[in-house]
Amino acid sequence: MYNSCVAVTTAQPNAYDNKADENKKNVSSSQNSLSTTSNATSKRTVIKIGGMHCAGCVNAIQGYVSDLPGVSKVEVNLANEKAALEYDQSKVKLDTIEKAIEEVGYKVVYEKLVLKIGGISDSSDAQRIEHNLVHVEGIKTLSANYGNSQVNVEYNPALLSLADIRKKIGNLGYEVLSETIGSSAQDIEARKLKYLFFVGIAFTLPVILFSYPEVFRFIPFAGTNISAYLAFAFASIVQFVTGSRFYIGAFRIAKMKSANMDTLVVLGTTTAYVFSVFNTFPTPVWHNIYYDAAAVVITFILLGKYMELKTNGKTGSIIKKMLELQPKTAKIKKETGEEVEIPIELIQPGDIAVVRPGEKIPVDSTVILGSSTVDESMVTGESMPVSKKGDNVIGGTVNKEGMILVNAAKVGSDSFLSQVVKLVEEAMGRKPSIQRLVDKVAGYFAYAVMIAAFSVFLAWYFVLAAGATAMAIIPAVAILVVACLCALGLATPT
């Protein structure tokens, strides 16, 4: 009797345990399905952003975009002007993120490309190209015209390269005969800065000449009221025409209740300009006129931004030049013995390529017939050619002596050059911990500079030069202008 009771009491908990296990499995499976759905809608991408020039810009973009619903991660790198995004496609679209970046005052950069295509015979070919490529990640717009056999592409250079586009078109059975690359956003911005700099120089020089009558006595109207009014006119053009980009940037960042380099430049130069205007009319007080300081600061900051942009452009062009080391086409030997010239993107592992003296080896290969010496200086830096017979050769190196047949081993993203380019891009895009710290500090740096400038003004006005407004303004303006966030942001390892 005792034993039977034990059997009954132990059987019931087992039944409940089974139900509990089933409930746990159901909950677990539902959680797994939710996790799978979340992973399916989550997307990572990279976009290129133009118009950034300091760590304050980085913080502005990261802060504004990260507040969008569905955006889980935003990491902006000032050095390569790229932003790595992670977001939920079911809650926010990429177009919405791009519009948010534009609202902050920056722009998402897309490159334009015109391709001349061989093999387009009618509208069906054009539609086929559009249908297969318009949804490729990285392509914003694409239109094919069978009338002139051209394809116009607007694409994201952070996700796609010209070689990728050529390969995708080649896979459809068409041939890219030529390509015309439109001016990049970086080149357009550099031309604007160069133009503004020369305009600034043209109007800043008269301001300097009129501002020092005791030095430039030979200038007509030197030291007269007319020269002061002319200095005011020329300085106004520099302040509000040449320097308009700083006012626009400062206004946009102020709407977000933040500050950056534009804020400091506007505060410093406007203070000097307004103080000078106050002492110009109705009768000029020459020792309190500082039009030259405001004009020179704006003009040379523009020069610095132009030089910085060109330097960044050269860094980015290294990657392009590395990719250009590979030849555009290769001669492939068919089983029939016939040689066919095809684009480099269409080479497959196992293809036999013919490389004659003076030609570049198309892809990473193995020499299967013949012997020669190969110039590998692009890889090793060694100027002396290396003897090759049955050895591995690297795509882009130059065959110096005899004709050789090579068996393609690594093509596309697996090639040596592609791997080197990938490492360079990763090194440029990776943000070390010290850079993250600098970005965080820079968010408060502009406020600290403004507080320091105001404190210096008060110290000079009430203590060091009691009541002398001009003596107090100059050191305060100097602090605002010299304390540039760019130096803080770019000096750290990137």
Side-chain angles (χ1 to χ4, degrees):
M1 184 72 179
Y2 176 78
N3 290 338
S4 64
C5 290
V6 172
V8 170
T9 54
T10 56
Q12 288 179 346
N14 285 337
Y16 285 120
D17 287 343
N18 291 335
K19 290 181 180 179
D21 290 340
E22 289 179 4
N23 291 334
K24 288 180 180 179
K25 288 179 180 178
N26 292 333
V27 172
S28 178
S29 62
S30 63
Q31 289 176 344
N32 289 335
S33 63
L34 287 172
S35 176
T36 304
T37 304
S38 176
N39 292 333
T41 58
S42 179
K43 183 178 181 180
R44 295 180 181 179
T45 189
V46 180
I47 56 177
K48 190 171 179 66
I49 301 176
M52 296 190 298
H53 46 67
C54 66
C57 302
V58 172
N59 287 328
I61 295 172
Q62 289 183 164
Y64 194 72
V65 175
S66 61
D67 289 338
L68 294 175
V71 177
S72 56
K73 182 181 179 183
V74 183
E75 190 169 276
V76 181
N77 192 294
L78 179 62
N80 60 9
E81 297 182 319
K82 291 181 180 179
L85 304 171
E86 188 172 336
Y87 61 97
D88 189 340
Q89 297 181 88
S90 64
K91 296 180 180 178
V92 64
K93 302 297 182 185
L94 183 59
D95 291 341
T96 305
I97 297 175
E98 292 180 357
K99 288 178 182 178
I101 293 173
E102 292 173 359
E103 287 174 3
V104 186
Y106 306 93
K107 55 188 175 183
V108 178
V109 177
Y110 284 93
E111 302 289 350
K112 293 184 178 179
L113 176 68
V114 179
L115 300 172
K116 190 76 173 178
I117 307 296
I120 298 181
S121 56
D122 53 30
S123 60
S124 62
D125 289 322
Q127 291 176 0
R128 181 167 176 257
I129 292 175
E130 290 181 354
H131 177 74
N132 283 276
L133 297 183
V134 75
H135 298 298
V136 172
E137 185 178 12
I139 292 181
K140 185 179 182 181
T141 60
L142 183 142
S143 62
N145 189 323
Y146 77 93
N148 54 15
S149 299
Q150 285 188 353
V151 174
N152 295 285
V153 187
E154 190 175 5
Y155 67 99
N156 181 353
L159 293 177
L160 280 177
S161 65
L162 174 57
D164 295 328
I165 297 173
R166 287 173 59 97
K167 184 175 182 179
K168 291 182 183 298
I169 293 176
N171 291 338
L172 295 175
Y174 303 97
E175 182 182 1
V176 178
L177 302 177
S178 64
E179 62 263 353
T180 304
I181 302 175
S183 297
S184 65
Q186 198 169 44
D187 292 335
I188 295 172
E189 181 68 11
R191 284 198 294 267
K192 287 181 181 178
L193 287 171
K194 187 177 180 180
Y195 172 76
L196 288 174
F197 169 70
F198 282 118
V199 171
I201 283 288
F203 288 97
T204 298
L205 286 176
V207 172
I208 295 174
L209 294 176
F210 288 130
S211 297
Y212 298 95
E214 68 279 4
V215 177
F216 303 104
R217 297 179 183 276
F218 57 90
I219 300 296
F221 311 113
T224 65
N225 291 357
I226 295 177
S227 65
Y229 300 149
L230 288 173
F232 159 75
F234 291 132
S236 297
I237 294 174
V238 176
Q239 188 75 29
F240 300 111
V241 177
T242 306
S244 60
R245 63 193 300 118
F246 299 115
Y247 283 93
I248 294 171
F251 175 72
R252 285 173 173 168
I253 204 72
K255 287 196 302 182
M256 300 176 58
K257 299 179 181 179
S258 185
N260 62 1
M261 170 194 169
D262 292 334
T263 308
L264 301 181
V265 172
V266 166
L267 283 176
T269 58
T270 302
T271 301
Y273 174 81
V274 171
F275 183 73
S276 300
V277 172
F278 180 77
N279 286 278
T280 299
F281 300 98
T283 303
V285 182
W286 282 100
H287 63 275
N288 285 341
I289 292 178
Y290 298 100
Y291 290 123
D292 56 314
V296 167
V297 165
I298 288 177
T299 301
F300 278 96
I301 286 180
L302 285 172
L303 175 61
K305 288 171 70 68
Y306 171 74
M307 295 175 67
E308 177 188 335
L309 191 64
K310 296 297 288 184
T311 302
N312 289 342
K314 288 180 180 179
T315 303
S317 67
I318 293 174
I319 296 176
K320 293 182 180 178
K321 288 181 179 179
M322 290 177 67
L323 291 173
E324 289 172 359
L325 291 173
Q326 278 189 317
K328 300 288 186 183
T329 60
K331 296 182 180 69
I332 301 299
K333 192 177 184 68
K334 299 293 185 180
E335 294 180 358
T336 58
E338 178 187 6
E339 290 185 18
V340 180
E341 188 170 359
I342 64 172
I344 197 77
E345 295 85 9
L346 299 183
I347 296 179
Q348 300 296 326
D351 285 347
I352 307 299
V354 181
V355 187
R356 292 179 171 81
E359 295 180 345
K360 289 184 177 181
I361 294 169
V363 294
D364 296 359
S365 317
T366 303
V367 178
I368 58 173
L369 183 63
S371 61
S372 181
T373 56
V374 176
D375 181 1
E376 294 184 340
S377 57
M378 58 157 271
V379 178
T380 63
E382 176 58 54
S383 60
M384 295 296 294
V386 180
S387 177
K388 297 289 183 180
K389 184 176 182 180
D391 299 310
N392 294 329
V393 287
I394 298 173
T397 55
V398 181
N399 181 25
K400 302 294 288 185
E401 293 180 355
M403 186 182 80
I404 54 176
L405 295 184
V406 296
N407 186 356
K410 296 179 180 179
V411 299
S413 60
D414 294 328
S415 66
F416 175 81
L417 278 179
S418 296
Q419 292 297 318
V420 171
V421 169
K422 183 180 179 182
L423 287 173
V424 172
E425 288 181 334
E426 287 179 353
M428 291 177 64
R430 191 180 297 116
K431 184 181 287 190
S433 56
I434 188 173
Q435 178 66 32
R436 292 190 182 93
L437 176 62
V438 167
D439 289 347
K440 191 173 182 179
V441 171
Y444 305 98
F445 186 71
Y447 298 110
V449 170
M450 288 186 280
I451 293 172
F454 185 65
S455 301
V456 167
F457 172 80
L458 295 177
W460 276 85
Y461 187 79
F462 290 107
V463 181
L464 300 178
T469 307
M471 293 293 291
I473 282 179
I474 293 303
V477 169
I479 290 175
L480 289 172
V481 173
V482 172
C484 176
L485 291 171
C486 294
L488 180 65
L490 293 175
T492 53
T494 55

